[in-house]
Amino acid sequence: MLRRKFKKIAVSGAVIALLIFLNLLGWLNPFKNGIMKVSSPILSVFYRTGLQARNFYEDQTDRRDFKEIVKDLTKKTEDLSLENARLKMVDEENKELRKYLNFFSANNTRYVLANVIAGGEINLVNQALLLNKGSKDGLQLGLIVANSNGQVVGKIVSVSDNTSEMCLVNQTGCQFAAAILNENKTIGILQGDLGLSSKMDFIPQTEEIKTGAFIVTSGLEKNISRGHVLGQVAEVTKENNALWQSAKVESLANLHDLAIVSVVLP
Amino acid sequence: MNWRYIYHILLIFAIWLIQIGLISALPYPFNRFNLALVSLFFLLLFDDLALVSYWSLGLGTLLSFTSHLPFGILLISLWVTVLIGYVILYQILTNRSMWALLLLVLIGTVTSELIISLLSWTCNLFLNQSHLAYSGNDSFQMLGISILLNTIAMLAMFSIISAINPKLKPFLLIKKRK
């Protein structure tokens, strides 16, 4: 049995040697050419099938890679969007601060910048804004609060060590000693009217007030200098038999999106 | 003419066509699969060395026709690998468990690649033709992939066939033929 096996192995070894020898002589070439000729169409079909499989595999791999890339880019976009939003906020804040700086530097006004940190209630009708600066920063009761353009937006109504509350110029109870920029520089009291606008009362009937005239602080109030813009006359109410006339005043400032304000020091 | 011979010749041709036409066109790492070697090892399980050595002659000759290596390298490599595989399977390993097959394919693949590299290097040395240098499994990574694919294929084939054919059920001791 074992001898027969060895004989077969030896025969196959001899066949190998013979094949190599015949190939060296070139005698295998016709056989090789014949096989290649016969098998070429089948090989071509197999090769095309293999290529299709390769393309499919590479498509899948590419798709998987693209998915990873899209995932990566989505994450980066989200990060960049957040960064962009943060930078926009910083940019807006920067612009706002520059405005403050320009305005108050030009007017030689002392001021304290404060962030609005919350809205608080004074009573049922009026709301106050809570500022992050207080008496330790030099804030006092009655100081006016302005926006970046120097327009008055409110007044300090309560002060603690580190925070303070301000009322808005259009809120009831928020009063200012005001003057109309007309010929006689008429003075009066400006006070908020239910959070919608302001109203200037006790103007003598003899004074001539035009719509569009500017209202500024009169300087008659303690710690408030003259000339800070409070608003503009929108409507004048004058009755023949009344002792006084009144004017509806619209603030020039946007009172709804105050984030940074400046408290004007005396 | 005996139909059995035609059947074997057709099978050898089919395996050659699949190896050369289909598997070589597959993407990496699937093109590292050596169907010829796995088929020969699978045949070894039937304990017919003569048949397997004739198969290795046929497959080796056909593969040598389409190889860029000097004629005979693949032929000798397959033939020697089959002989070594036979010795391992019937003289060293005492069973036909999955682990035995795994070891057989591992040793067989490494042996085959080693012989190819050695013969290519020798040819290159004597013929002084650098283009003959065998550059297939020039890294351990590729060799590892070949081993992995061959092993998976072998185990799959063994599992399928043994589920159908009771002759290939794993058993511990090989019966001696009378």
Side-chain angles (χ1 to χ4, degrees):
Chain A
M1 173 76 191
L2 205 63
R3 179 181 281 182
R4 210 169 61 194
K5 268 184 186 170
F6 273 120
K7 194 179 168 188
K8 281 178 182 173
I9 291 166
V11 167
S12 56
V15 170
I16 288 173
L18 183 67
L19 281 171
I20 293 171
F21 181 68
L22 289 175
N23 184 67
L24 285 173
L25 293 175
W27 290 9
L28 281 184
N29 285 347
F31 180 62
K32 178 183 171 181
N33 293 337
I35 286 177
M36 292 311 293
K37 198 172 179 181
V38 171
S39 57
S40 286
I42 310 168
L43 272 177
S44 164
V45 171
F46 274 120
Y47 192 72
R48 275 205 297 274
T49 312
L51 280 184
Q52 280 174 355
R54 175 187 287 209
N55 290 338
F56 177 76
Y57 177 80
E58 282 172 355
D59 279 354
Q60 294 304 314
T61 313
D62 287 348
R63 202 170 290 173
R64 209 163 48 230
D65 290 347
F66 284 143
K67 268 186 184 173
E68 283 299 312
I69 291 169
V70 167
K71 205 175 165 185
D72 263 14
L73 288 177
T74 308
K75 176 81 176 64
K76 276 183 188 165
T77 309
E78 281 173 6
D79 290 348
L80 287 174
S81 299
L82 284 173
E83 181 69 13
N84 194 28
R86 196 185 65 80
L87 287 174
K88 271 185 182 168
M89 278 179 69
V90 170
D91 186 46
E92 278 173 17
E93 199 176 82
N94 190 22
K95 279 179 187 164
E96 191 83 357
L97 291 173
R98 279 175 190 279
K99 279 186 192 171
Y100 278 108
L101 198 64
N102 290 339
F103 179 80
F104 289 109
S105 301
N107 292 282
N108 288 326
T109 310
R110 289 175 60 233
Y111 62 96
V112 172
L113 280 177
N115 282 322
V116 176
I117 51 175
E121 283 190 6
I122 295 175
N123 56 42
L124 286 175
V125 181
N126 295 317
Q127 278 201 324
L129 298 180
L130 193 66
L131 308 181
N132 68 342
K133 296 283 168 69
S135 58
K136 282 187 178 174
D137 303 289
L139 269 57
Q140 301 169 27
L141 270 177
L143 294 180
I144 55 164
V145 182
N147 69 1
S148 56
N149 296 322
Q151 294 151 353
V152 177
V153 292
K155 195 181 213 178
I156 299 292
V157 290
S158 147
V159 182
S160 64
D161 285 350
N162 295 308
T163 56
S164 54
E165 274 185 315
M166 63 169 275
C167 63
L168 290 172
V169 73
N170 60 2
Q171 286 172 349
T172 309
C174 202
Q175 295 183 331
F176 298 86
I180 302 170
L181 292 183
N182 57 2
E183 247 179 65
N184 299 328
K185 306 287 184 288
T186 312
I187 57 169
I189 303 288
L190 181 85
Q191 62 175 341
D193 190 15
L194 299 170
L196 300 170
S197 61
S198 303
K199 198 170 156 188
M200 191 160 168
D201 288 323
F202 309 114
I203 306 168
Q205 286 278 15
T206 51
E207 298 294 332
E208 192 182 337
I209 307 162
K210 289 179 179 168
T211 308
F214 284 100
I215 312 288
V216 297
T217 52
S218 64
L220 296 174
E221 217 170 339
K222 192 187 169 189
N223 293 334
I224 299 177
S225 56
R226 184 181 165 80
H228 297 286
V229 178
L230 286 162
Q232 213 171 2
V233 174
E235 189 184 322
V236 180
T237 309
K238 187 175 182 180
E239 290 174 13
N240 289 334
N241 55 352
L243 195 59
W244 310 98
Q245 58 179 327
S246 66
K248 185 183 172 187
V249 178
E250 297 283 0
S251 174
L252 298 174
N254 185 356
L255 303 174
H256 303 293
D257 63 348
L258 293 170
I260 303 171
V261 292
S262 62
V263 182
V264 182
L265 298 176
Chain B
M1 195 177 180
N2 194 338
W3 286 106
R4 194 164 168 259
Y5 294 139
I6 295 173
Y7 167 71
H8 282 289
I9 289 167
L10 284 177
L11 266 179
I12 289 169
F13 259 99
I15 288 168
W16 172 67
L17 286 170
I18 292 170
Q19 180 73 56
I20 297 301
L22 188 68
I23 295 173
S24 66
L26 290 178
Y28 178 84
F30 303 108
N31 57 3
R32 304 302 309 165
F33 173 48
N34 193 338
L35 179 67
L37 198 66
V38 172
S39 308
L40 291 174
F41 279 155
F42 188 72
L43 267 182
L44 270 181
L45 295 175
F46 296 96
D47 191 20
D48 191 348
L49 181 62
L51 180 70
V52 185
S53 61
Y54 295 149
W55 264 63
S56 71
L57 280 182
L59 269 175
T61 308
L62 289 173
L63 288 171
S64 288
F65 281 156
T66 47
S67 168
H68 67 283
L69 296 170
F71 184 87
I73 289 184
L74 292 178
L75 181 59
I76 294 170
S77 155
L78 278 183
W79 187 68
V80 174
T81 307
V82 161
L83 292 183
I84 292 172
Y86 183 83
V87 172
I88 292 169
L89 193 62
Y90 290 99
Q91 304 300 321
I92 299 171
L93 302 174
T94 55
N95 61 31
R96 291 183 193 173
S97 67
M98 290 290 185
W99 292 109
L101 275 177
L102 190 93
L103 186 70
L104 181 70
V105 174
L106 191 145
I107 294 171
T109 308
V110 173
T111 309
S112 165
E113 299 296 341
L114 201 69
I115 293 168
I116 292 170
S117 300
L118 194 69
L119 290 176
S120 302
W121 181 79
T122 312
C123 284
N124 187 33
L125 194 71
F126 286 108
L127 299 174
N128 199 22
Q129 288 174 321
S130 59
H131 71 276
L132 292 180
Y134 179 68
S135 59
N137 284 4
D138 55 353
S139 73
F140 287 112
Q141 189 192 1
M142 283 186 176
L143 180 63
I145 286 167
S146 291
I147 291 169
L148 185 72
L149 289 173
N150 292 349
T151 309
I152 291 170
M154 184 63 160
L155 293 181
M157 278 169 76
F158 184 80
S159 304
I160 293 166
I161 302 292
S162 66
I164 301 164
N165 186 0
K167 192 181 175 184
L168 276 176
K169 293 284 183 200
F171 56 89
L172 288 172
L173 294 170
I174 297 163
K175 288 176 191 170
K176 293 284 178 190
R177 283 187 180 176
K178 288 176 184 175

